[in-house]
Amino acid sequence: MAWILQPREHFEAQIDGDLVDDGVCVGRIVDKIGLSQPTVTAHMKVLADAGLVTSKKIKNWVFYKPVRAELQRFRALINTLPIDQADAN
């Protein structure tokens, strides 16, 4: 998630699609993370289904970008959860 939140710091410019405006191409994520395209796509679908990223198809590729407002809401929710000291170890 950190990579697509700051895509210009973590990915080179793309031929198709702007890193910020359109998102990061799944192929770039695959290359960087070293997992297969189907695995990365499956994980990105989970994030998309949760509303944390959006996807956009350009030519034959899918580009993902963060939904910052939803990520902020999720972070605020996580910060309200009590942490049981027994679970922290």
Side-chain angles (χ1 to χ4, degrees), residues 82-89:
I83 297 176
D84 184 355
Q85 290 299 333
D87 292 339
N89 296 325

Side-chain angles (χ1 to χ4, degrees), residues 33 35-49 53 64:
I33 204 164
L35 298 172
S36 70
Q37 184 271 328
T39 298
V40 171
T41 297
H43 285 281
M44 296 308 292
K45 183 179 180 335
V46 170
L47 294 173
D49 289 348
V53 299
Y64 293 96

Side-chain angles (χ1 to χ4, degrees), residues 8-77:
R8 294 195 198 285
E9 293 180 18
H10 297 282
F11 298 96
E12 293 183 21
Q14 305 168 136
I15 294 171
D16 295 313
D18 180 78
L19 285 168
V20 173
D21 294 338
D22 300 308
V24 178
C25 178
V26 69
R28 296 291 175 110
I29 298 169
V30 166
D31 291 344
K32 187 167 182 78
I33 204 164
L35 298 172
S36 70
Q37 184 271 328
T39 298
V40 171
T41 297
H43 285 281
M44 296 308 292
K45 183 179 180 335
V46 170
L47 294 173
D49 289 348
L52 301 176
V53 299
T54 60
S55 63
K56 176 180 185 178
K57 188 169 183 179
I58 300 175
K59 296 186 180 177
N60 293 329
W61 294 100
V62 178
F63 294 72
Y64 293 96
K65 73 180 201 176
V67 179
R68 293 179 185 278
E70 193 61 22
L71 285 164
Q72 289 172 346
R73 189 187 73 73
F74 183 70
R75 180 170 37 186
L77 176 65

